Amino acid sequence: MKIHSKAVHAGDRKRKTGTPIPVVTPIHTAASFFYDSLESIDKVFAGEMHGYAYSRYDNPSNAALEELVSSLESAHGTLATASGMSALQIAITAALTDRRKHVLAANALYGATVKLLHQVFEPFGTTSSFVDICDLDAIQKSIAAEKPGVILMETISNPLLRIGEIDKIAQMARDAGACLIVDNTFATPALVRPLELGANISLSSATKYLSGHGDVIGGLVSCDEEHFEPVRALSRIYGPILGPFECYLTMRGIKTFPLRFDRQNQNAIRVAAYLSKHPGVEAVYFPGLANHPDQATTARLLPADQFGAIVSFEIEGADKQGIFKFFDRLKMIVPATSLGDVHTMALYPAIASHRDIPPKQRARLGIRDNLVRLSVGIEDIEDILADLDQALELS
Ligand SMILES: Cc1ncc(COP(=O)(O)O)c(C=O)c1O
């Protein structure tokens, strides 16, 4: 099946002879399950029989969503977690269980991911180092020097939209015995399926495009065969699972995700073209523009004419007050801290997603104080452009 069909069918409508089949998976709120004989639950606990025993371990609502996402991500198995951050935490922890406790991370990452490495992993003895994920020689040198257990990157980086060569990095990781974890939040499985390119774990914040309506916090960890059981086993102890209501909402969101994302991608191309010509805009970061530094990788790894729906741009000569003014002028675009919703959203990385990265380090990463990140929604493109136009005129 193709992605538009998988999105509406996978995980749902389990056929069982003689019983009515609900067209959508019900929300199973039960914390625990029992059987007509204790022997059955003994077999479920032992893994000898498929079934449910306790919802921290497994629940039919979670299982349906996990099956759906495995189908989208071409994964052996998926774990639905309480947030994108808990997805990152459990994936890294599981991958490092029997590997050297060092994470080689892309230097362009979501701010909280950097914090997770420094403030959660480092105090427990897992060191980290950072590398330009678009420089294959530098990655090879860092692997030789650091012998990382995990290599961590984003498919399309936050917020400057750099695109690394996942397939080549996956080969380097394999040769070094490291686990490649890819945060696929910005690209989504509609554009890139990292496991098909050789990554071991593809994870995402379900909060964003997959649920898509700004009403869920969730995460998804999709794994190859080697890594699924360790992730699941750890989750059964830690318990960072997604609740059944959020599983339902995420599944409901995914049914229209490919449709929404197609439209968002097309709108983003128009927004990037408009901003590129605006005299008040100093620079535009978008993989679909001819000046994007990762053009060749984009052409190789992304489908034609689809570049994701984030557009970042710098407002000419704007200081913090100028940026605040631009945000305050927006009438339709929502100045809220997230991305991937149906509505267009604007975020100021210096005070939000990358707030905790010291200003000097932010500058080194190219995240300037006049940078705005737009998550382009599904509205009529003319309304999006009109709102940007009036806010930029006056900033
Ligand atoms: C690329 C990326 N990964 C992970 C996360 C964390 O997701 P969540 O907020 O669902 O924990 C975010 C949040 O913005 C993100 O942008």
Side-chain angles (χ1 to χ4, degrees):
M1 273 197 278
K2 301 276 196 286
I3 188 162
H4 286 265
S5 317
K6 284 181 180 175
V8 293
H9 288 291
D12 263 335
R13 294 177 285 281
K14 295 274 172 288
R15 283 164 201 264
K16 220 178 183 184
T17 329
T19 54
I21 302 156
V23 294
V24 292
T25 303
I27 303 170
H28 290 267
T29 56
S32 57
F33 301 81
F34 67 97
Y35 297 79
D36 54 3
S37 118
L38 202 61
E39 202 185 336
S40 298
I41 208 148
D42 187 33
K43 285 189 175 153
V44 170
F45 274 130
E48 291 162 9
M49 186 176 109
H50 175 71
Y52 301 97
Y54 189 56
S55 284
R56 195 182 74 234
Y57 293 1
D58 211 353
N59 168 296
S61 298
N62 295 59
L65 169 63
E66 289 163 350
E67 187 179 323
L68 167 59
V69 174
S70 288
S71 143
L72 298 182
E73 288 275 5
S74 302
H76 176 78
T78 294
L79 174 76
T81 62
S83 67
M85 291 314 298
S86 62
L88 276 152
Q89 206 244 349
I90 199 156
I92 297 169
T93 308
L96 285 176
T97 308
D98 52 2
R99 290 189 171 99
R100 187 173 129 67
K101 309 282 181 280
H102 184 88
V103 178
L104 176 63
N107 60 5
L109 284 178
Y110 172 50
T113 307
V114 178
K115 249 170 113 174
L116 177 73
L117 295 174
H118 289 320
Q119 294 182 19
V120 177
F121 280 99
E122 281 179 14
F124 287 94
T126 294
T127 51
S128 43
S129 54
F130 297 85
V131 66
D132 178 351
I133 209 68
C134 297
D135 181 342
L136 293 176
D137 286 342
I139 298 170
Q140 193 67 75
K141 280 189 190 123
S142 296
I143 291 174
E146 311 285 356
K147 305 198 172 20
V150 159
I151 301 174
L152 175 64
M153 63 183 287
E154 293 171 1
T155 319
I156 302 179
S157 76
N158 183 357
L160 295 177
L161 316 179
R162 297 299 307 270
I163 300 179
E165 299 191 72
I166 296 177
D167 50 351
K168 295 183 183 166
I169 299 167
Q171 185 59 53
M172 291 182 193
R174 246 191 323 277
D175 292 345
C179 170
L180 176 62
I181 300 179
V182 179
D183 182 335
N184 202 29
T185 302
F186 275 35
T188 83
L191 296 193
V192 180
R193 288 162 300 284
L195 295 167
E196 289 178 3
L197 298 174
N200 304 99
I201 298 180
S202 169
L203 55 83
S204 35
S205 165
T207 315
K208 318 298 183 196
Y209 292 105
L210 296 177
S211 62
H213 295 77
D215 52 8
V216 175
I217 295 280
L220 296 155
V221 189
S222 295
C223 307
D224 63 9
E225 191 168 0
E226 179 190 348
H227 293 87
F228 181 59
E229 270 321 307
V231 164
R232 173 68 85 194
L234 209 56
S235 161
R236 288 183 169 156
I237 303 167
Y238 271 0
I241 50 144
L242 191 62
F245 290 97
E246 286 78 10
C247 286
Y248 162 75
L249 278 175
T250 306
M251 256 190 119
R252 186 185 161 107
I254 289 176
K255 290 185 193 298
T256 56
F257 145 68
L259 269 181
R260 287 185 275 107
F261 199 57
D262 274 353
R263 164 99 171 187
Q264 286 167 311
N265 274 253
Q266 295 316 308
N267 278 352
I269 291 171
R270 295 276 305 273
V271 167
Y274 161 80
L275 290 171
S276 299
K277 291 200 192 101
H278 196 289
V281 171
E282 195 178 328
V284 181
Y285 300 88
F286 184 66
L289 291 176
N291 65 356
H292 189 273
D294 308 317
Q295 275 272 298
T297 310
T298 304
R300 206 166 66 74
L301 298 185
L302 269 63
D305 299 328
Q306 291 202 302
F307 309 101
I310 304 291
V311 182
S312 296
F313 64 100
E314 290 163 359
I315 299 181
E316 179 84 48
D319 58 8
K320 196 169 166 184
Q321 289 319 311
I323 296 289
F324 278 23
K325 227 162 91 184
F326 165 78
F327 273 76
D328 292 345
R329 301 263 187 204
L330 291 170
K331 291 185 176 146
M332 183 189 78
I333 295 171
V334 184
T337 307
S338 194
L339 63 106
D341 293 344
V342 281
H343 43 264
T344 300
M345 306 171 90
L347 172 138
Y348 185 20
I351 67 151
S353 58
H354 292 71
R355 184 187 188 98
D356 295 318
I357 296 183
K360 272 193 182 155
Q361 195 183 337
R362 264 204 321 262
R364 263 202 311 276
L365 294 174
I367 303 169
R368 297 177 62 198
D369 284 350
N370 61 346
L371 183 78
V372 174
R373 190 191 79 191
L374 273 186
S375 162
V376 180
I378 64 169
E379 302 97 329
D380 191 296
I381 186 64
E382 299 304 334
D383 292 324
I384 300 172
L385 298 183
D387 200 18
L388 286 172
D389 210 46
Q390 63 81 25
L392 280 168
E393 277 313 308
L394 297 162
S395 63

